[in-house]
Each structure stands twice: as C-alpha cells, then as structure tokens.
Amino acid sequence: MTVRLRGEVVTLRPFREDEFDAVLEREAGAEATEDARRNLRERLWRSGEWTEQELRLAVEAEGALVGDCQARISHWALPPGVCELGIGLFEEATGKGYGTDTLRTLSAYLFDEAEIHRVQLSTDVGNAAMRTAAEKAGFAFEGVLRGFWAQDDGTHDYAMYARTRADHHGGR
C-alpha cells in the first residue's frame, strides 16, 4: 500500500522520477560513488512503501519538493514498536513550519496506522531549527547523547526527543 499523507501545510508522498536527480545531488553530492548513488536511487524508487527498514517520503509544500523524511524501524537496532524519524529540508524551506508539520503528520500516521508505540528523533545539539520543530510537534526532550556522531571535525553531541502513543492520545 502506497503511503500518502496530508498535513496542515505539507504533503508527504512518494518521490517522482523527475525529482531523483535533484535529490541525488543534494544528498549524495558530486563526489559520491556510483554505488552510493545507485543505492539512493533504489531507495527513492521504493519511497511511499514500507521496506524492511524504512518508509521514505518526499516532503512537498506549496506544490514544490522541499525535502524528505524517513521513518526507520531497524529491527537489529531498535526494539519492536520503536521508530526513529529523519527529516531533511532544503535550506530555502527552513523556518516556514514545514518541519514541524512533517513531524506531526508522520508521527500521527505511525501511532494511528502502524504498530508503533514510541517515535524518536535525534539531532545535533546545535541544530536549533530541528530542535524547535521537534518541540513544537510535541516531542519531549529526553537528554543529550554525548559524543554520538563522529564527523571530520570530531564527535558531536546529539539531543534526543521522543513522543509515545500515550502522548499522542493526550496521556502524560
């Protein structure tokens, strides 16, 4: 079953083939290997459908592609019923409420239509836009994952946020 979700200001939908090159350039970059580009293209082809590990969707607002999101359910890394969200908005799309609406819309779908009882996300502690979007979407700050992400300039601390099914249904 193809997933297509409508929020207040965004539509979450499968990617269209004519969007692949733009997404490949933004995500994989010019220096990406052919294998990395092929892997991403295959993931885009499967967008809108649950795979063993994820549901990937395009984020559309005002009739234009503005980013993407994923709901990840890695069975070897997360307990059953726990889903991790990822969201990436194009730079020109930030600050317009698209991230908050994406998080609200996708998490509501996961609680209402999937066997999910906890939705979590993490972001670099310095990513103020994502942290604000998470809080506006009803995600609770749970703490800092120290030294979580190794990058060229060293390890970065990440902030962890989560919502539970009880939160979604007005509990807690």
Side-chain angles (χ1 to χ4, degrees):
M1 177 178 82
T2 300
V3 176
R4 184 179 183 90
L5 308 170
R6 185 169 304 281
E8 289 182 26
V9 294
V10 300
T11 298
L12 308 180
R13 57 160 176 80
F15 282 93
R16 295 188 302 258
E17 188 174 357
D18 65 334
E19 298 168 330
F20 285 14
D21 288 338
V23 174
L24 286 167
E25 284 309 310
R26 286 184 184 266
E27 287 196 29
E31 56 284 340
T33 66
E34 189 54 41
D35 282 346
R37 294 176 71 78
R38 185 174 36 257
N39 182 10
L40 180 55
R41 183 175 289 279
E42 288 173 12
R43 290 174 65 206
L44 293 174
W45 270 113
R46 293 190 309 258
S47 67
E49 304 283 336
W50 279 100
T51 68
E52 288 183 12
Q53 295 186 354
E54 73 176 353
L55 169 66
R56 185 180 187 112
L57 297 164
V59 178
E60 179 183 299
E62 300 177 31
L65 178 68
V66 297
D68 77 305
C69 62
Q70 315 88 42
R72 298 182 289 263
I73 52 169
S74 174
H75 299 291
W76 53 268
L78 297 170
V82 176
C83 184
E84 182 151 306
L85 300 186
I87 181 173
L89 295 180
F90 302 155
E91 189 174 331
E92 61 272 17
T94 60
K96 298 180 179 181
Y98 302 153
T100 300
D101 196 36
T102 296
L103 293 174
R104 280 185 187 136
T105 302
L106 186 53
S107 62
Y109 161 77
L110 294 167
F111 290 129
D112 294 340
E113 304 296 329
E115 301 279 327
I116 301 300
H117 63 82
R118 175 186 166 89
V119 176
Q120 64 186 37
L121 62 92
S122 62
T123 189
D124 191 291
V125 294
N127 188 343
M130 183 61 175
R131 295 185 73 175
T132 298
E135 290 168 6
K136 284 183 176 180
F139 284 74
F141 173 68
E142 294 188 326
V144 174
L145 305 170
R146 298 177 356 183
F148 182 72
W149 201 277
Q151 297 179 10
D152 290 342
D153 63 349
T155 57
H156 289 238
D157 295 346
Y158 265 52
M160 174 63 80
Y161 291 86
R163 285 191 78 195
T164 65
R165 183 182 298 272
D167 297 333
H168 176 66
H169 291 293
R172 291 192 197 177

